[in-house]
Amino acid sequence: MTGIYFDSDEDAVELVKALESEGYSTTLTREAFAGEEDWEDRAWVLVVEPFDDRVVEMVDVYGGWLPGDDRLPEDPPELPGAPKRLKD
């Protein structure tokens, strides 16, 4: 089973709602990475059954990530052409 990781529980809960409305079964837990001792720093992990292409599509929309996912965004973010100036 592949877990979907989130920094924010709000993003994870939104995806849970969307997936369950489409008939998926979900389990949301917390998981510590190596060396993490603070409970608040732990990632949220969502396990989805069945895990299919539709789930993968929704991961990017809801701000999650998959372990080992090395896909790059189709278009890199726009860089500013000049420094931003604050108005007085």
Side-chain angles (χ1 to χ4, degrees), residues 51-67:
F51 191 88
D52 58 19
D53 290 338
R54 174 69 177 138
V55 175
V56 174
E57 288 174 15
M58 295 175 76
V59 169
D60 291 335
V61 173
Y62 288 89
W65 77 91
L66 299 168

Side-chain angles (χ1 to χ4, degrees), residues 18-25 49-50:
L19 289 168
E20 288 180 352
S21 74
E22 293 188 21
Y24 290 90
S25 174
E49 289 291 328

Side-chain angles (χ1 to χ4, degrees), residues 5-67:
Y5 290 81
F6 292 87
D7 288 325
S8 164
D9 64 328
E10 293 172 2
D11 293 336
V13 168
E14 288 297 316
L15 181 54
V16 165
K17 290 178 187 176
L19 289 168
E20 288 180 352
S21 74
E22 293 188 21
Y24 290 90
S25 174
T26 63
T27 305
L28 184 61
T29 59
R30 298 209 69 183
E31 182 177 303
F33 294 113
E36 285 183 339
E37 296 177 11
D38 185 5
W39 180 257
E40 294 302 316
D41 287 340
R42 294 178 182 200
W44 290 90
V45 182
L46 176 61
V47 176
V48 181
E49 289 291 328
F51 191 88
D52 58 19
D53 290 338
R54 174 69 177 138
V55 175
V56 174
E57 288 174 15
M58 295 175 76
V59 169
D60 291 335
V61 173
Y62 288 89
W65 77 91
L66 299 168

